[in-house]
Amino acid sequence: MELRAVGRVESPLRDRAAAPRQGDEGAPESTIAFLPEVADALADLAVDDEVLVLTWLDRADRSVLVVRPRDDASRAPQGVFTTRSPDRPNPIGLHRVRIVGIDGLRLRVRDLEALDGTPVLDVKPLLLGIDDR
Amino acid sequence: MELRAVGRVESPLRDRAAAPRQGDEGAPESTIAFLPEVADALADLAVDDEVLVLTWLDRADRSVLVVRPRDDASRAPQGVFTTRSPDRPNPIGLHRVRIVGIDGLRLRVRDLEALDGTPVLDVKPLLLGIDDR
């Protein structure tokens, strides 16, 4: 089960300490630069589309199974499958973003909380009635 | 970027021809059998939780970039990043399911459209206001 990057994130976010925890907490606009070999896969994306972007959180700690909730040291540690911590056995990031510009293989997006250089794995449409109900 | 299975799907669905396209079109109840080494990660999951399950769609065709929409041959082919086709460069399945039973490392779930034996990669909580708005 070997992943291949289909693109990379270009973002002003350089390290985890600076990153907001979820996209709408204030991630700066960023760009996804896709590889030329997947151009046909993104042909029908459009400005203003809301999509799901899957990334590989390459700076995560894959050995972590339990985390302490952020900002509340009094709460008990939680299994990572009930959190969105990047630290988990398979650190796949799932981001709901809005496309604000398209220039060839470059997608400009809003609300993508991912560090500069993060590999992009996939883009999926939101499914009304499934993801969005 | 090498994935590790954290569990496997046990389902009456044996092949793609029999599988519904999205979970709520009629997937039978199925079970996720987790590996003992990730037991701590799932400790806080609870019956009636709705969660996102990420799978590796191991019978997908990773060379596909463009698909014809199902059930409508008159529509133009579409780039896979605007579809939920399992055939795509990184065939990661994203499933919104409801937990209906927990027995140790075994989670019984509703609405998981995944074939028997499919590797499970991750479980994430739904984020109200993000995935669900």
Side-chain angles (χ1 to χ4, degrees), chain A residues 4 84 90 131-133, chain B residues 4 84 90 131-133:
Chain A
R4 318 190 268 253
R84 289 288 189 113
N90 291 299
D131 301 311
D132 204 44
R133 68 187 164 198
Chain B
R4 317 190 269 253
R84 289 289 188 110
N90 291 300
D131 301 311
D132 203 44
R133 69 189 164 196

Side-chain angles (χ1 to χ4, degrees), chain A residues 92-121:
Chain A
I92 297 169
L94 179 62
H95 316 267
R96 179 175 171 165
V97 310
R98 183 176 296 274
I99 299 173
V100 295
I102 300 177
D103 180 12
L105 292 166
R106 297 173 63 79
L107 242 62
R108 189 111 190 116
V109 298
R110 188 173 294 155
D111 298 330
L112 177 56
E113 181 249 314
L115 301 180
D116 189 54
T118 299
V120 173
L121 304 176

Side-chain angles (χ1 to χ4, degrees), chain B:
Chain B
M1 300 192 290
E2 176 71 27
L3 297 164
R4 317 190 269 253
V6 297
R8 297 249 163 210
V9 174
E10 297 176 0
S11 170
L13 297 175
R14 301 274 173 200
D15 62 64
R16 284 178 59 172
R21 187 64 157 242
Q22 293 299 331
D24 65 353
E25 291 178 11
E29 273 191 20
S30 54
T31 296
I32 302 173
F34 287 92
L35 300 179
E37 53 262 44
V38 299
D40 289 348
L42 57 107
D44 298 289
L45 295 172
V47 171
D48 269 346
D49 284 354
E50 275 196 293
V51 296
L52 299 173
V53 174
L54 279 67
T55 60
W56 183 250
L57 303 170
D58 54 351
R59 277 145 281 190
D61 179 349
R62 301 182 68 176
S63 70
V64 171
L65 297 175
V66 170
V67 295
R68 190 169 286 282
R70 181 176 67 146
D71 297 335
D72 189 351
S74 67
R75 283 169 63 199
Q78 270 180 261
V80 290
F81 291 165
T82 58
T83 81
R84 289 289 188 110
S85 169
D87 299 321
R88 54 204 310 121
N90 291 300
I92 298 169
L94 179 63
H95 316 266
R96 179 175 171 166
V97 309
R98 183 177 294 275
I99 299 172
V100 295
I102 299 177
D103 180 12
L105 293 167
R106 298 172 63 78
L107 242 61
R108 189 109 190 119
V109 298
R110 189 172 294 156
D111 298 330
L112 177 56
E113 181 249 314
L115 301 180
D116 188 55
T118 299
V120 172
L121 304 175
D122 199 9
V123 178
K124 296 182 191 293
L126 274 180
L127 283 184
L128 297 178
I130 301 274
D131 301 311
D132 203 44
R133 69 189 164 196

